[in-house]
Amino acid sequence: VECATKVLDYLYLGTEWNASDYETLIEDGITHILNVSSEVDNFFLDTFKYLNIRVLDVDGTDLLKEFDKANKFIQEAKDQGTCCLVHCKMGVSRSASI
């Protein structure tokens, strides 16, 4: 299993598995998790702050309308000096688009 990809000092891109790996989330300083999927639940509601963008992985999905909300959420983690993990099921299309 691969680790989440560190995109910026405060931003990680990953998969459902990365979002469920509690120890690594803590080690990476992640406090915010942006879940860009309709099929993956949030794993640790008592520990992390979540934003859910419940969309399907289909061609017609309009993520543009979600960018402002997602950016504010990621910026919040950055401003706090912590990190945000953005993930979907496989960490390829929806999360990478955000």
Side-chain angles (χ1 to χ4, degrees):
V1 177
E2 295 199 17
C3 295
T5 301
K6 187 174 187 177
V7 178
L8 298 167
D9 288 340
Y10 57 90
L11 181 63
Y12 287 80
L13 176 65
T15 66
E16 174 184 18
W17 189 90
N18 300 128
S20 70
D21 183 3
Y22 184 84
E23 290 180 11
T24 302
L25 292 169
I26 296 297
E27 288 171 12
D28 288 341
I30 292 170
T31 58
H32 291 59
I33 299 177
L34 176 46
N35 180 349
V36 190
S37 70
S38 59
E39 65 273 24
V40 179
D41 291 327
N42 299 326
F43 294 97
F44 309 106
L45 293 170
D46 293 336
T47 306
F48 303 99
K49 183 171 184 178
Y50 285 89
L51 174 62
N52 294 303
I53 297 176
R54 297 291 187 190
V55 292
L56 295 171
D57 190 10
V58 296
D59 289 340
T61 297
D62 179 14
L63 285 174
L64 285 175
K65 66 182 181 182
E66 306 293 349
F67 280 5
D68 187 52
K69 180 173 34 172
N71 183 56
K72 287 178 182 174
F73 186 75
I74 294 166
Q75 186 68 42
E76 181 181 290
K78 179 184 178 189
D79 291 347
Q80 292 176 1
T82 61
C83 298
C84 180
L85 170 70
V86 180
H87 79 89
C88 55
K89 178 81 174 162
M90 301 300 294
V92 176
S93 53
R94 291 168 287 181
S95 58
S97 294
I98 290 291

